[in-house]
Amino acid sequence: MDSRTVALIRTTFKAVAAEEGGPEKLARSFYAILFTDYPHVREFFPASMDAQRDRLVKAIMYALDRLEEPDKLLPFLAQLGRDHRKYGVQPEHYVAVGASLKAALRGFADSEMWTDEVDAGWDEGLKVIADTMIGAAEKETTPPVWSGTVVERRDVLRNLTIVRLQLDQPMQYAAGQYMSVQVPARPRMWRYLSPAVPANANGEIEFHIRSVLGGWVSPAIVGHTAVGDQWLLGSPLGGLGVPRNTKRKMLMVGCGTGIAPLRAQLMAMAQRRTNPRVHLFVGGHHPCDLYDLPVLSQLAVANKWLTVTPIAESDENPWWYLDSGEPEPELPGLEPRVIGQIGKVVAAHGPWTDRDVQIVGAPSMVQTTKFRLMAAGTQTKNIRHDPLF
């Protein structure tokens, strides 16, 4: 697409989104049109649409921000196309989605704004998205979905559980990627999770799940997962990872269960002969949130290229945490724990201008840490994180 077409698409979308309640109204209108004009597609969606509507708008905004960066946008769309095979999506469904989205936009846009040129621009943009996703799906030879059996669950905190599964067949994914997961208690509700271990030939996989207040899926996983449950997993997504033979030093920042994809990468790197220096900052609200320090300690002791700094916002655990009263054991290989907000602490330890940076955690934490690093001189192009939706 040329720059004018990109500008027209962005302008019309931002005009709609700028209205009071615009994004939510647009999402509601889109799904109303889609389910009315194409009722057969309703079966692909969960009963509750709240999370789905929010995710739609964020996904559109993510794509629009990268229309002039095909080297970033097209691989992302290709991954989505491969992942959407789990729904049983066919090419005609992309036509239905495109027509419904355009109709919803046209309904909210000013009549003078929605010209024939704008209409044609959206046709072109939606065609690029659909063709990329369809093409990637048609070329893919891996299964559209994997199934796995829960073989172990371990409750780490009252709201955090580690689940291990045995897949029906091994899945190839890069350490640091994530995938959508469906559990028996929440049919047709897919949640993104990052494996905490690298891919292996035995088909063993591990997830760390924290129950999100008000969430639909994570509380069901933490509260109801049992050994023997059958999970479904979609295709791997995301672009985090450390290339082999890279000489660029790394800065990794993870908060809460955001440690999972970083830990998986460190485990994969530990199997290589040489690695660049890596400084990992792992954070949490309370000391008990730093639940994976024993594993990180073992990695740091065995790999001298790795430095691990724990960070907690408070020096005390919450009231509900059953503390044994015994002093915390000293774990070798770790830096002393720092008290403070993770973004501020990491930025103060800089400068990190010579590092490639990965940030994983809640969207607010990722954004805050990213802005603090940029303010301290780290170039945006050197900072990576997964899409925040």
Side-chain angles (χ1 to χ4, degrees):
M1 289 180 288
D2 58 33
S3 58
R4 178 168 177 79
T5 300
V6 171
L8 289 171
I9 291 173
R10 284 179 176 162
T11 299
T12 50
F13 182 82
K14 289 181 178 179
V16 172
E19 296 182 10
E20 184 176 355
E24 182 179 354
K25 291 178 180 177
L26 174 64
R28 288 183 179 277
S29 176
F30 161 72
Y31 282 113
I33 294 170
L34 179 66
F35 296 155
T36 300
D37 294 350
Y38 307 91
H40 60 285
V41 305
R42 183 64 179 89
E43 65 184 72
F44 294 122
F45 295 90
S48 173
M49 292 293 296
D50 291 345
Q52 190 71 30
R53 282 191 287 265
D54 182 57
R55 188 175 297 167
L56 168 74
V57 175
K58 290 180 178 178
I60 293 173
M61 294 174 69
Y62 182 86
L64 293 183
D65 285 342
R66 287 154 182 81
L67 285 175
E68 292 176 302
E69 301 176 283
D71 57 322
K72 294 182 179 179
L73 177 60
L74 297 184
F76 170 74
L77 293 174
Q79 286 187 343
L80 280 185
R82 289 189 286 268
D83 180 55
H84 273 58
R85 294 177 302 144
K86 67 178 184 258
Y87 299 114
V89 172
Q90 299 298 318
E92 59 266 24
H93 297 132
Y94 287 97
V95 175
V97 167
S100 300
L101 178 58
K102 201 174 76 166
L105 284 162
R106 188 168 53 238
F108 282 98
D110 185 277
S111 58
E112 295 183 1
M113 175 181 291
W114 197 272
T115 63
D116 289 343
E117 188 179 14
V118 168
D119 193 88
W122 272 98
D123 281 341
E124 183 179 350
L126 292 169
K127 186 176 187 304
V128 169
I129 293 172
D131 287 351
T132 304
M133 294 178 68
I134 292 170
E138 291 178 342
K139 292 177 182 177
E140 188 57 42
T141 58
T142 62
V145 66
W146 282 258
S147 62
T149 303
V150 176
V151 294
E152 181 184 355
R153 68 159 290 166
R154 178 163 63 91
D155 295 327
V156 181
L157 300 171
R158 73 169 189 175
N159 63 347
L160 197 156
T161 298
I162 292 177
V163 178
R164 295 189 175 99
L165 299 99
Q166 176 66 55
L167 301 182
D168 58 347
Q169 59 180 303
M171 174 192 289
Q172 290 299 316
Y173 59 86
Q177 287 192 297
Y178 61 96
M179 58 204 60
S180 53
V181 171
Q182 179 183 267
V183 299
R186 291 292 184 266
R188 293 187 294 177
M189 287 188 177
W190 294 82
R191 189 184 191 278
Y192 291 128
L193 297 176
S194 296
V197 294
N200 62 81
N202 297 323
E204 300 159 337
I205 197 166
E206 174 180 308
F207 295 109
H208 299 183
I209 307 100
R210 184 185 292 276
S211 177
V212 178
L213 185 64
W216 282 90
V217 178
S218 59
I221 295 177
V222 173
H224 302 292
T225 294
V227 171
D229 284 354
Q230 296 290 311
W231 287 21
L232 297 179
L233 289 74
S235 296
L237 302 163
L240 296 183
V242 180
R244 288 183 176 273
N245 303 318
T246 181
K247 296 182 180 179
R248 289 273 297 179
K249 290 184 282 188
M250 291 290 305
L251 168 64
M252 292 182 171
V253 185
C255 205
T257 54
I259 189 60
L262 302 179
R263 181 236 240 192
Q265 292 179 68
L266 295 174
M267 287 181 168
M269 294 172 69
Q271 300 173 22
R272 304 175 185 174
R273 291 185 177 181
T274 60
N275 283 297
R277 291 204 61 81
V278 177
H279 197 142
L280 168 67
F281 289 85
V282 53
H285 293 294
H286 308 283
C288 64
D289 292 322
L290 305 173
Y291 66 94
D292 211 36
L293 289 186
V295 173
L296 298 177
S297 168
Q298 295 175 21
L299 283 168
V301 169
N303 301 280
K304 300 306 180 184
W305 43 264
L306 175 61
T307 301
V308 179
T309 302
I311 304 171
E313 293 185 12
S314 171
D315 200 22
E316 297 182 354
N317 282 315
W319 62 269
W320 50 259
Y321 182 72
L322 296 178
D323 198 328
S324 65
E326 298 292 327
E328 291 184 23
E330 290 192 11
L331 297 173
L334 303 181
E335 298 288 298
R337 189 174 69 211
V338 179
I339 303 301
Q341 195 274 333
I342 189 167
K344 185 180 295 186
V345 171
V346 173
H349 270 67
W352 304 103
T353 52
D354 62 337
R355 304 270 177 148
D356 283 336
V357 182
Q358 293 187 26
I359 312 174
V360 186
S364 58
M365 169 268 179
V366 172
Q367 290 285 40
T368 300
T369 303
K370 180 179 179 179
F371 291 149
R372 287 190 180 277
L373 290 173
M374 291 167 57
T378 304
Q379 295 187 54
T380 308
K381 66 178 183 179
N382 294 334
I383 301 175
R384 288 189 292 156
H385 56 80
D386 286 322
L388 302 179
F389 59 85

